Amino acid sequence: MQKHYGVSPEELSNVAGLLQSGQIVALPTETVYGLACLALNKFAVAKVFKAKQRPADDPLIIHVSDLTEAKLVCRPDRRAMSLIEAFWPGPLTLVLPKTRIVPAIVTSGLSTVAVRSPAHPVFREVLNLVSAPLAAPSANPFGKVSPTRAEHIKQSFGDGHPPVVDGGPTKIGIESTVVDLSSSRTRILRPGPIDTEAISAILGEEPEMPEPKASRNKAKAPLSPGLLAKHYQPESPLQVFSSTEELMAFLKMEPSIPAATCVITHSPLKEIRFPSKSLKFMHLSESGDPKEIAQNLFARLREADTHSPPLILCPLLPETGIGSAINDRLRKASFKD
Ligand code: TXA
Ligand code: MG
């Protein structure tokens, strides 16, 4: 039988069996790896929250095969139907009114649910074998860098890591775009691979972009529980710059940059050398292509961390297309309380 991204049919049916018995399994999606479980089994969902140490007020995304399965868990409106038609399967999550069968633990008690249909053949085949919606947050401990390779999950969770299906490095590298359609206003809760222009073009209206919150606000129900200013954090402190030029100017002017600081640039640095400083240089792409930068971003932040540098420096991208989504992750990764 055909293998899916090097994963055998035996492994896939084994994984489907584990999920059907209420276990959790890390699976590849086209964006990042997810920690999957049966979405409609509250005990299985509780295991995901526990494994991630995720606060109970941060709801999960439900992954479905298609629109028919989506209708089990949410009530799509006209806007949702056109976005689904244009972008599913793919990296677009829609927040919609939920149906009654969705357990409160999945949505943190909200009346809305986040739903997406992933494009990765491994995840799709597992959905097909399980024949039920799967809840799956990114497979990282809460607040940390999302995994884009199977080994990242083993690294973050250590010896007791959940079972992982290795589908290779993920193609996109950053999490799906989250669009809130639960009221008449269309809001982008998390910028992602499907950019605002693409969404506007389908809907014929400009979506709103709420500002991230500095901290969790217990008193007031948050617009999006995950709309926090601080997230995706590497272990070492990260400092971002508005452009590569600004970063270069900082490197030249600043005599007090600590030794062994890690500098992550968009493409390899050709002309400029810093012989007087023992800095470690890495790059995100050979050509500076924003798609390649997105693919490598989380792996590079993790790699920088393995050197335990006193500081990581990285420039932002021009604020357009997937650049805005990459900048969102870099700002959150560098946010200080
Ligand atoms: O690409 C992705 O979306 C990946 C892969 C595994 O599918 N998943 C992912 O899940 O990034 P997670 O749990 O790390 O992020 C889900 C985001 C969180 O910010 C959460 O607060 C938000 O979606 N969310 C979930 N349900 C929501 C709801 N009902 N209303 C508003 N925001 C919601
Ligand atoms: Mg996450």
Side-chain angles (χ1 to χ4, degrees):
M1 243 170 104
Q2 195 204 344
K3 284 190 168 189
H4 291 266
Y5 275 57
V7 184
S8 69
E10 293 74 27
E11 185 178 356
L12 290 176
S13 76
N14 191 16
V15 159
L18 285 175
L19 289 164
Q20 277 164 331
S21 70
Q23 303 302 305
I24 62 177
V25 179
L27 296 175
T29 83
E30 72 279 28
T31 57
V32 300
Y33 276 73
L35 197 53
C37 72
L38 289 180
L40 305 183
N41 177 331
K42 62 182 179 187
F43 301 106
V45 174
K47 287 182 192 163
V48 166
F49 274 93
K50 187 161 179 238
K52 271 188 67 102
Q53 297 179 348
R54 184 178 178 112
D57 63 358
D58 195 356
L60 307 184
I61 297 175
I62 296 188
H63 296 64
V64 293
S65 295
D66 54 20
L67 174 62
T68 308
E69 198 169 55
K71 284 181 178 167
L72 283 176
V73 295
C74 68
R75 293 199 303 277
D77 64 357
R78 187 187 43 79
R79 291 169 299 173
M81 298 298 269
S82 17
L83 291 173
I84 287 170
E85 169 83 25
F87 301 117
W88 278 14
L92 179 70
T93 297
L94 301 176
V95 173
L96 291 162
K98 79 176 196 72
T99 61
R100 290 180 62 176
I101 62 165
V102 180
I105 184 171
V106 176
T107 63
S108 305
L110 296 172
S111 58
T112 57
V113 64
V115 186
R116 93 172 183 98
S117 184
H120 197 291
V122 169
F123 207 115
R124 294 194 66 73
E125 183 57 15
V126 173
L127 277 170
N128 184 28
L129 292 171
V130 171
S131 292
L134 294 172
S138 53
N140 51 282
F142 179 70
K144 300 295 182 189
V145 179
S146 294
T148 52
R149 288 151 203 238
E151 60 263 29
H152 293 165
I153 299 154
K154 298 178 184 167
Q155 284 159 11
S156 339
F157 288 97
D159 286 343
H161 70 80
V164 183
V165 179
D166 188 347
T170 61
K171 261 203 183 131
I172 296 178
I174 55 171
E175 306 83 348
S176 62
T177 309
V178 180
V179 182
D180 182 6
L181 299 174
S182 63
S183 76
S184 57
R185 289 148 72 187
T186 303
R187 288 184 275 204
I188 301 213
L189 300 183
R190 181 172 71 185
I194 308 228
D195 62 36
T196 312
E197 291 76 31
I199 290 163
S200 306
I202 297 295
L203 295 182
E205 59 160 325
E206 190 78 23
E208 292 176 22
M209 301 278 302
E211 281 296 306
K213 304 186 305 282
S215 63
R216 305 183 83 76
N217 182 348
K218 299 273 179 220
K220 196 166 160 270
L223 175 64
S224 173
L227 205 68
L228 290 170
K230 179 180 167 184
H231 205 10
Y232 317 103
Q233 300 242 315
E235 302 302 324
S236 295
L238 169 71
Q239 188 176 340
V240 296
F241 296 83
S242 61
S243 64
T244 300
E245 291 67 38
E246 198 194 286
L247 166 64
M248 301 314 271
F250 177 79
L251 290 177
K252 284 190 195 144
M253 310 271 301
E254 177 65 66
S256 59
I257 298 174
T261 287
C262 190
V263 183
I264 307 181
T265 54
H266 299 156
S267 51
L269 289 183
K270 291 197 183 77
E271 290 133 46
I272 306 163
R273 297 246 158 88
F274 299 90
S276 61
K277 295 198 178 91
S278 59
L279 306 181
K280 177 154 186 60
F281 286 91
M282 295 178 176
H283 55 272
L284 291 160
S285 155
E286 286 308 319
S287 62
D289 170 31
K291 277 195 177 156
E292 202 186 333
I293 292 176
Q295 268 171 4
N296 293 324
L297 179 68
F298 291 148
R300 212 58 87 238
L301 287 175
R302 283 169 178 269
E303 195 185 323
D305 257 348
T306 60
H307 303 283
S308 305
L311 191 60
I312 305 172
L313 308 177
C314 186
L316 298 171
L317 275 81
E319 205 63 53
T320 158
I322 202 164
S324 305
I326 295 168
N327 291 348
D328 167 77
R329 307 308 187 268
L330 283 170
R331 288 199 186 94
K332 287 175 178 164
S334 64
F335 186 83
K336 309 274 174 320
D337 293 304

